[in-house]
Amino acid sequence: MPLPEPGFADPVAESQRAFRALLDAIAHPGRIVDIPGPAGRPKGLSIAQSAIALALLDGDTPVWLAGPCASARPWIAFHTGAPAAPRPDAARFAFAEAGELPAPCAFDLGTDAYPDRSTTLIIETPGLAAGGNALLSGPGIAGTTRATLPLPRAFFAARAELAELFPRGLDLVLTDGARALALPRGTRVEGA
């Protein structure tokens, strides 16, 4: 069996750079950031998804991989030790492509006492761009901002229905190659 593709050449420093870039995206919903990627990456994950996996996953974070992302399972297991979640609602992190995504209610939304135990979705969405038809508002956004969010309207409508459960909900990280945009659960999305 061949060895998996390499991960970060300097695991500590590169994980920290990727993590800081992701934190910047989370602190500024709607802002597109570049996520520095690993030396190698598996088939099924984009550069940003690979970097996020290396920065966030470990042996205590069950991960669910949908569609083509499932081919990255051996790479993720080798580099992070993250166990495979048997279903979406058992995962702390889920990696998917835009066309392979179940409804938001299929994932763990956390509890009122532990909202941080919800699933974070990392979704590859080719065509992600600043500006566009989606109007974003909420914490971390001064007024409003716009973005092109290439996910089905039905997905955002179902996510909006979860708003009444706050602080429970889903945090999203949309990726496009080496770029990422975060939509924390408190971010409202209109017109997507």
Side-chain angles (χ1 to χ4, degrees):
M1 175 181 235
L3 287 175
E5 290 294 323
F8 286 134
D10 182 347
V12 173
E14 292 181 65
S15 288
Q16 289 174 347
R17 277 194 290 279
F19 186 72
R20 276 192 295 265
L22 182 59
L23 283 181
D24 184 40
I26 292 167
H28 303 96
R31 176 186 291 177
I32 295 176
V33 300
D34 291 323
I35 305 281
R41 66 180 175 89
K43 289 181 181 175
L45 294 182
S46 69
I47 293 168
Q49 285 179 314
S50 299
I52 291 167
L54 292 173
L56 297 182
L57 300 181
D58 62 25
D60 294 326
T61 53
V63 62
W64 184 73
L65 304 166
C69 294
S71 64
R73 177 79 210 123
W75 184 85
I76 286 175
F78 179 81
H79 287 290
T80 71
R87 26 178 228 289
D89 67 344
R92 292 288 70 87
F93 293 94
F95 291 78
E97 291 184 356
E100 302 286 334
L101 207 54
C105 63
F107 297 97
D108 187 346
L109 304 176
T111 65
D112 288 336
Y114 298 101
D116 59 315
R117 293 185 182 167
S118 67
T119 305
T120 298
L121 309 181
I122 297 94
I123 309 162
E124 178 67 8
T125 53
L128 182 67
N133 60 335
L135 183 67
L136 310 178
S137 61
I141 301 172
T144 61
T145 191
R146 291 192 171 274
T148 299
L149 307 175
L151 284 174
R153 284 182 188 254
F155 179 84
F156 284 112
R159 182 177 178 259
E161 291 176 7
L162 301 176
E164 66 187 48
L165 302 176
F166 191 84
R168 298 171 62 210
L170 295 174
D171 298 318
L172 309 179
V173 178
L174 307 183
T175 62
D176 182 359
R179 302 173 320 126
L181 175 149
L183 297 172
R185 67 193 69 192
T187 304
R188 290 177 297 287
V189 178
E190 298 174 46

